[in-house]
Amino acid sequence: DNKIERNVPPKRQVIDSFIKLSAQIGKERVIWRYDPVVLTDNIDAAWHRKNFELLAAELKDYTNRCHISFVDMYRKINRNMQSIRAVSITEKDMLETGKGFAAVAAKYGLKIYSCTESYDLMAAGIDPGSCIDGRLIAEITGRKCDFPKDKNQRAQCNCAASVDIGAYNSCRHGCLYCYANFSETAVKNNILKHDPA
């Protein structure tokens, strides 16, 4: 875990933050993401199902939904993943892992969605989802919203049009699967430039 997400806070801290946020703004406004799913010699579908269930048991009262995705092995990410011997994920792997997730989600009363997957996971009980979900926004706000599909995303993305407030080369987590940081030097330089005021 720490080999993949090198500087992410401990899971207990992340779970506690999730629970506090849910208590403040409501469970319908907090979405759990379990992504990306990475497979290696030591991390298989059974490992993910067990880990997913541990988290689902803790988060079930603090969210209604979970979004999953499988790692996209872009050239840079593929290079980074060699250190952990990541394997290419097949459609069979996605289906097996997805079925495990869907069974766990059903057990804990969670709705599970996929995020920008080229493979249809509906056979596993997972509907295609959207991170920026126009229907959910309308439901939460009680307003009629007619958002167009975001034309700046990949073809499989179902997100409503939105504005990204993030910045490339700004995250300190150092995850091997990250496509948003190009180099540790660029991240360090940007952090030095950051003025929290």
Side-chain angles (χ1 to χ4, degrees), residues 50-68:
K50 180 181 175 187
N51 194 50
F52 187 83
E53 179 147 17
L54 291 170
L55 293 168
E58 293 232 35
L59 299 177
K60 66 180 172 34
D61 296 326
Y62 305 100
T63 187
N64 296 323
R65 52 171 57 197
C66 177
H67 287 224
I68 67 156

Side-chain angles (χ1 to χ4, degrees), residues 130-134 137 147-150 153 157-163:
S130 49
C131 305
I132 312 298
D133 188 333
I137 293 168
F147 298 108
K149 185 178 181 319
D150 194 328
Q153 301 297 335
C157 181
N158 295 318
C159 285
S162 59
V163 176

